Every structure is written in C-alpha cells, then in structure tokens.
Amino acid sequence: MIEERKLPAYAAGAIDVPFVIGFFQERVDVDTCWPSHSHPTHELLWNQRGASTVSVGPRMWTITPVLGVWLPAGALHEGWACAGSVCNMSHFGIDSVEPIALEPVPVVITPLLRLLLERLADPGLNPTSRAITEAAAMDNLQPAPGHLSIHMPQADLLQPIVSGMVDEPQPALGLQQWSDRLGVSGRTISRAFQAETGSGYSRWVASLHAQQAMEMVARGDDLQDIAQLLGFSSQSSLGAAFRRNTGFTLSTFRDSK
C-alpha cells in the first residue's frame, strides 16, 4: 500500500511566513508519495530516521539522517518515504536568508547542524537565542561535495532497464544481456545513456547502486546482505565501489538510533 499526499504548487514567496527557519517533522507509518508540488519557502529535507527520496525532473536524491537535500523556493519536486521513516523539513523564509544554492543540492547533516535545526523547534526559545541559533544554522549549512544524485533516463528504449533495476535492487545485467533482450546493440544502449544522463550504462548502474545502498544502510540492513543483493562479491567491494562513486563511506549513512 502506498499513500498519496497531494500538495499545492506555490511560487517562491507566494505566501508570507512568520519565521526565518521553521522546523517540521512527520513520522510516515506507510509507504508514502507526494506528487509534484512546490513551496513558497526554501526547504531542507532531512530525516530523523529511515530513508526517503526526492526528485526534481529526472534527477533523484536519497535522503537519510546524515544527508539532506536543499530545494530552492518554487522548485517543483516529488517525494517518497518508506514506512517507519521520520522525515524532517526545515523551511527558510526567502526574505530572511540568502539561499545556499539556486538549484537543488545535497547537504551533509552534521551533528552540529542537526542540533541547531532541532533547537529551532522549541516554541519557548526566546527571540535572542532564536536569532543566534538561526545565524549559526545558516553558517553551518553548506552544499555537500559531489552530486550524490542519479539521473533517471526518460527514453523509451531505456525504460525496461530503468524500471527493472529501480523497482527491485538487483545485480546489474551486462550490456550484451540487455542487447539481447531489447534487440539493439550494446553500443546503442550505451549511447542512449550517454546522451541523456552524461554517463554510460556502467557508470549509471554504479550511481543507482550507490543510491540503493545508501537507502538500505539508512534503514539498518546488514552490509553483507546489501552487497549480495546488489551483486557484489563482498562487503568490502561494495564499500569500495560506493566510495569511488560518492566520496563517502557507507558507514557514514548508518542510522544511529
């Protein structure tokens, strides 16, 4: 069962908000999706527990307790969260803060940034303390290095590959296997990936597996089980591939409950 939540699409600044940084939290009890919508404020999505995703056009990011995504005001996006996730949403008044980026970017949620953002949820915080905390939060809010996202191809030719691998984490088939299934050459498939995503099939698979591994680690799955599910020979080979693709270690994304 997937619950659908429909939200409106607001232009940047369409609604005045009574805060500089507002903090909101929701526990998701069933798998939930949010169709395309946008906010009048800048938004930072990050999780207290579990994993979720956000998509802007063909680009998708995985959100965990240590990796969030900054969305500029007015940016149309879609979201998904698995059951049991606790999703945090920090909203920023566009007239009150300078945006850290004018496009969606990943943000590492450091322990200090987490404490600062959570402190702003206290309704009893006096104005002076709130202003100091808001300034400190903005000072510690920076785009993460690298893209840490995946481009989902839209070409009809590639849909059997995309849907099969995205819907169910699994070892990647080789280009020749897909060539036989789709009735086109491996070079044609690779060129289609390159034209649409800027990378070939193998690089795209590596990015997809990194996103899937990040999500599974965040929800507490065993690393050896993840390696086996994705077709890696060992936990260490999975970890090495993940670090090459993202610049982070998988243990970084372990959800400490």
Side-chain angles (χ1 to χ4, degrees), residues 177-189:
Q177 291 171 289
W178 280 118
S179 174
D180 294 340
R181 289 191 181 191
L182 300 179
V184 298
S185 69
R187 178 171 294 183
T188 296
I189 295 172

Side-chain angles (χ1 to χ4, degrees), residues 54-107:
V54 63
S55 298
V56 178
R59 294 173 67 196
M60 185 184 77
W61 293 261
T62 297
I63 300 166
T64 77
V66 294
L67 186 69
V69 174
W70 167 274
L71 297 169
L76 286 169
H77 58 282
E78 301 176 1
W80 178 89
C82 61
S85 296
V86 178
C87 302
N88 294 332
M89 298 140 282
S90 295
H91 286 266
F92 303 75
I94 67 170
D95 295 325
S96 305
V97 302
E98 287 293 326
I100 66 168
L102 299 179
E103 63 180 4
V105 292
V107 173

